[in-house]
C-alpha cells in the first residue's frame, strides 16, 4: 500500500475517532454545566499580585523575544560568517507572506481594484486597530503593526495567567503563561500578523465569562469574531459559563430542576451570547459594501488561494504524503510534519484531559481544531493551533513536579528556536 492510500485510511480512522470523541463530549457539555453538582473547582492559593504577574510576564516576553533574536543572529552568522549587516537582514525577514498585505491594509484600507482587492480575505480587527493607531499618533503603519502585535502578546501572557490561575492558582497560571510565550509559533505574534490580537480577544472573552462579567465577555468575543472567522467559536465557552452561572445562582442542589427551567436557561443564554457574532456580521457587511457580495472573501479565498473547507481525514491524507514527498525538506519539517503531529496530538490531548478541564474549553478545542484543520490546502496549521487558548492550561496541568515542567519548557524553547530558524529566518512556515 502506498503512502497516499495509507494516509486515506488513517485519515478516515482519525475522522471516525474525532466524531466519537465529540459525541462523548457533547452530553457532558450540558450535564457539567446544568447538573445538580456542577464541576467542582478546587480551592487554590491567593492569586498573584498585579506587580508580580506583570513582572513575570514581561520577563518571559523579553527572554522569549531574545531567544528569537539570538536564533536569527546565529542563522545569519552561519550564512555570512560575520555579524555585520545583521539587523538590516533581520528587518527584511520580518515581513513574510501575509505581513505585507496587512501593512497595505493599514496604510490604504480595503480597496476594490488591483491586487489589493484580494486583501478583503484578511479580517479587519487587527489592521483597523493599527490604522487607528497611525491616525492618532502619526507613526508609520509598520511601527503601529509591531506595537499592536507585541503589546497584545504581553496582554495574552497576562490574560492566560489569570485564566489558568482561577482553576489552579498562580503556579498553573505561571506555567500556562510560559508555555504560551515560548510557544514555537509565537514569532508570528511579534510581527505584522493578526494572531496576537485574536488570541488576546479570545482570552479576555473567556476570562470575563469565567468572572461572570458576561457583557464584557460578549464584547471581546465580538472583537474576536472580527479578527478571525474561528472567533465565532468563542461563543461556546461563554455559553457554557452562562449555563453554569444559571445553575449556581439557583442554588438548592437538592431539589430537582424542571425541564422548563433547563429550557429557559438555555434559551436565555443563547440570546445573551448571540452578539458575539456581531463582529463577523460587520465583516460580512464590509464585503457587501465593497463588492456587493457578503461572502466575497470566500470567493477570493477559493479562486486565488485555492482553499476551501474539507474534513480532517482529507487533511491528514495530504499532510502525511507531503511530510515525506514534498520537494523542499524544510517545508516538510516546518509545515507538513508538525501538522501531521497536531492532527493526532490535539484529539488525544482532549481525550486525556477532558475530565480534568472545563467542558466549555474542551468543546471549544474540538470545534476550533476541526475548523482550523479541515481546509482543502492547509499550510498554516501550526500557527492556527497556537491560537487555541485552551491548550495552554491543558498542557500546564500535565507536569506534577517542577523538574518535569522545566523539561517540558526546555523542549518548547528548543522547538521555538527550531521553528524560528525554519520559519522566520528561512521563510518555510506560513
Amino acid at each position: 500500500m502506498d503512502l497516499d492510500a495509507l494516509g486515506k485510511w488513517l485519515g478516515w480512522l482519525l475522522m471516525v475517532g474525532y466524531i466519537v470523541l465529540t459525541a462523548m463530549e457533547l452530553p457532558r457539555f450540558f450535564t457539567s454545566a446544568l447538573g445538580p453538582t456542577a464541576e467542582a473547582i478546587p480551592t487554590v492559593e491567593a492569586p498573584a499580585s498585579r506587580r508580580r504577574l506583570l513582572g513575570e510576564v514581561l520577563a518571559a516576553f523579553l527572554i522569549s523575544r531574545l531567544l528569537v533574536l539570538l536564533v536569527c543572529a546565529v542563522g545569519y552568522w552561519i550564512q555570512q560568517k560575520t555579524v555585520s549587516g545583521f539587523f538590516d537582514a533581520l528587518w527584511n525577514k520580518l515581513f513574510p507572506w501575509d505581513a505585507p498585505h496587512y501593512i497595505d491594509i493599514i496604510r490604504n484600507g480595503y480597496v476594490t481594484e488591483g491586487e489589493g482587492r484580494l486583501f478583503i480575505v484578511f479580517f479587519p480587527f487587527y489592521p483597523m486597530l493599527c490604522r487607528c493607531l497611525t491616525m492618532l499618533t502619526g507613526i508609520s503603519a509598520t511601527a503601529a503593526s509591531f506595537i499592536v502585535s507585541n503589546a497584545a502578546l504581553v496582554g495574552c501572557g497576562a490574560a492566560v495567567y489569570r485564566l489558568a490561575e482561577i482553576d489552579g492558582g498562580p503556579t498553573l497560571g505561571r506555567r500556562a503563561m510560559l508555555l504560551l510565550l515560548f510557544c514555537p509559533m509565537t514569532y508570528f505574534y511579534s510581527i505584522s500578523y493578526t494572531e496576537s490580537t485574536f488570541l488576546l480577544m479570545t482570552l479576555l472573552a473567556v476570562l470575563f465569562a469565567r468572572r461572570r462579567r458576561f457583557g464584557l465577555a460578549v464584547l471581546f468575543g465580538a472583537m474576536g469574531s472580527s479578527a478571525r472567522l474561528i472567533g465565532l467559536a468563542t461563543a461556546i465557552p461563554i455559553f457554557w459559563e452562562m449555563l453554569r452561572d444559571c445553575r449556581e445562582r439557583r442554588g438548592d442542589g437538592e431539589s430537582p430542576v424542571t425541564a422548563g427551567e433547563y429550557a429557559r436557561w438555555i434559551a436565555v443564554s443563547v440570546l445573551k451570547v448571540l452578539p458575539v457574532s456581531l463582529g463577523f456580521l460587520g465583516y460580512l457587511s464590509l464585503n457587501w459594501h465593497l463588492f456587493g457580495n457578503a461572502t466575497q472573501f470566500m470567493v477570493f479565498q477559493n479562486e486565488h488561494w485555492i482553499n476551501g473547507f474539507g474534513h480532517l481525514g482529507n487533511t491528514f491524507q495530504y499532510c502525511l504524503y507531503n511530510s515525506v514527498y514534498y520537494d523542499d525538506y524544510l517545508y516538510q519539517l516546518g509545515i507538513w510534519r508538525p501538522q501531521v503531529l497536531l492532527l493526532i496530538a490535539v484529539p488525544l490531548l482532549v481525550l486525556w484531559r477532558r475530565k480534568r478541564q472545563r467542558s466549555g474549553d474542551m468543546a471549544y478545542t474540538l470545534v476550533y481544531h476541526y475548523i482550523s484543520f479541515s481546509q482543502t490546502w492547509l499550510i498554516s496549521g501550526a500557527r492556527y493551533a497556537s491560537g487555541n487558548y485552551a491548550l495552554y492550561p491543558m498542557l500546564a496541568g500535565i507536569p506534577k513536579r517542577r523538574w518535569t515542567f522545566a523539561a517540558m519548557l526546555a523542549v518548547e524553547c528548543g522547538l521555538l528556536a527550531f521553528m524560528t530558524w525554519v520559519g522566520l529566518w528561512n521563510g518555510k512556515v506560513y
Side-chain angles (χ1 to χ4, degrees):
M1 182 180 292
D2 63 30
L3 188 61
D4 192 50
L6 177 63
K8 181 178 181 180
W9 285 106
L10 291 176
W12 280 112
L13 182 63
L14 174 68
M15 190 68 189
V16 170
Y18 208 84
I19 292 171
V20 171
L21 179 59
T22 303
M24 291 168 55
E25 191 61 27
L26 183 59
R28 181 173 171 268
F29 179 85
F30 290 97
T31 58
S32 61
L34 296 173
T37 54
E39 292 179 339
I41 302 302
T43 302
V44 296
E45 56 190 297
S49 66
R50 291 182 181 179
R51 176 179 294 181
R52 177 181 174 183
L53 181 147
L54 183 60
E56 292 178 355
V57 170
L58 287 175
F61 169 79
L62 291 174
I63 294 170
S64 66
R65 299 312 94 182
L66 285 173
L67 176 59
V68 171
L69 183 64
L70 177 62
V71 170
C72 293
V74 171
Y76 182 79
W77 184 85
I78 291 173
Q79 292 173 350
Q80 305 296 328
K81 305 303 180 185
T82 180
V83 294
S84 177
F86 164 67
F87 287 104
D88 289 335
L90 176 63
W91 181 255
N92 293 328
K93 300 286 187 180
L94 295 180
F95 303 94
W97 309 117
D98 295 339
H101 306 330
Y102 280 113
I103 297 293
D104 189 78
I105 298 171
I106 297 168
R107 287 174 178 159
N108 306 313
Y110 291 98
V111 298
T112 58
E113 297 179 349
E115 184 185 12
R117 78 190 189 285
L118 302 173
F119 301 161
I120 190 65
V121 302
F122 301 106
F123 277 53
F125 182 77
Y126 170 69
M128 292 299 101
L129 187 62
C130 296
R131 187 171 172 83
C132 288
L133 183 60
T134 64
M135 295 172 65
L136 290 172
T137 64
I139 62 176
S140 69
T142 302
S145 70
F146 286 130
I147 290 171
V148 170
S149 291
N150 284 280
L153 179 55
V154 172
C156 287
V160 78
Y161 194 122
R162 288 301 193 205
L163 186 66
E165 189 181 55
I166 292 173
D167 291 344
T171 298
L172 186 67
R174 184 180 307 108
R175 290 181 174 185
M177 177 270 294
L178 290 171
L179 290 176
L180 189 158
L181 290 179
F182 286 91
C183 171
M185 303 311 298
T186 50
Y187 65 84
F188 276 111
Y189 289 58
S190 286
I191 59 177
S192 306
Y193 268 73
T194 190
E195 260 57 42
S196 57
T197 51
F198 164 75
L199 181 56
L200 179 59
M201 295 305 105
T202 305
L203 282 165
L204 290 175
V206 179
L207 178 60
F208 280 116
R210 203 151 293 176
R211 290 177 171 176
R212 303 301 183 254
R213 300 177 68 179
F214 293 116
L216 287 173
V218 169
L219 174 63
F220 284 110
M223 293 179 186
S225 74
S226 69
R228 281 183 59 192
L229 175 61
I230 195 62
L232 290 169
T234 311
I236 295 171
I238 298 175
F239 176 67
W240 187 86
E241 296 289 350
M242 287 178 174
L243 291 180
R244 180 169 174 163
D245 182 61
C246 290
R247 187 65 182 86
E248 289 173 345
R249 284 189 291 106
R250 182 184 188 272
D252 189 16
E254 299 297 327
S255 61
V257 181
T258 66
E261 284 181 293
Y262 283 141
R264 184 172 68 253
W265 292 345
I266 292 172
V268 170
S269 297
V270 167
L271 291 175
K272 289 169 65 176
V273 82
L274 276 178
V276 167
S277 65
L278 290 177
F280 178 64
L281 293 176
Y283 175 59
L284 295 181
S285 299
L286 177 64
N287 277 258
W288 178 269
H289 174 72
L290 294 175
F291 300 98
N293 178 12
T295 58
Q296 185 64 38
F297 70 101
M298 297 178 65
V299 175
F300 287 150
Q301 189 72 255
N302 184 57
E303 292 180 352
H304 187 75
W305 281 271
I306 317 174
N307 208 353
F309 192 68
H311 59 83
L312 288 182
N314 179 62
T315 304
F316 184 86
Q317 180 182 1
Y318 68 73
C319 285
L320 181 63
Y321 183 86
N322 286 324
S323 70
V324 176
Y325 292 114
Y326 203 79
D327 59 6
D328 190 316
Y329 186 62
L330 287 181
Y331 277 125
Q332 292 180 22
L333 294 176
I335 295 178
W336 303 116
R337 294 182 186 180
Q339 289 181 173
V340 170
L341 178 63
L342 288 165
L343 280 162
I344 299 171
V346 172
L348 289 178
L349 180 63
V350 172
L351 182 63
W352 181 17
R353 302 295 297 178
R354 58 187 290 267
K355 293 186 178 180
R356 299 176 179 88
Q357 309 290 146
R358 296 183 184 238
S359 295
D361 295 345
M362 296 298 97
Y364 176 86
T365 295
L366 288 170
V367 173
Y368 182 100
H369 182 73
Y370 189 90
I371 293 177
S372 297
F373 277 73
S374 293
Q375 298 180 22
T376 53
W377 186 244
L378 179 68
I379 54 176
S380 302
R383 173 162 61 90
Y384 294 159
S386 70
N388 181 352
Y389 79 88
L391 293 180
Y392 301 103
M394 269 195 278
L395 291 170
I398 293 174
K400 301 302 181 184
R401 297 179 174 86
R402 289 184 179 180
W403 69 265
T404 312
F405 176 75
M408 176 187 284
L409 186 61
V411 170
E412 193 179 46
C413 289
L415 291 173
L416 172 58
F418 175 76
M419 294 302 287
T420 298
W421 177 73
V422 175
L424 184 60
W425 192 252
N426 289 286
K428 302 297 184 177
V429 179
Y430 290 88

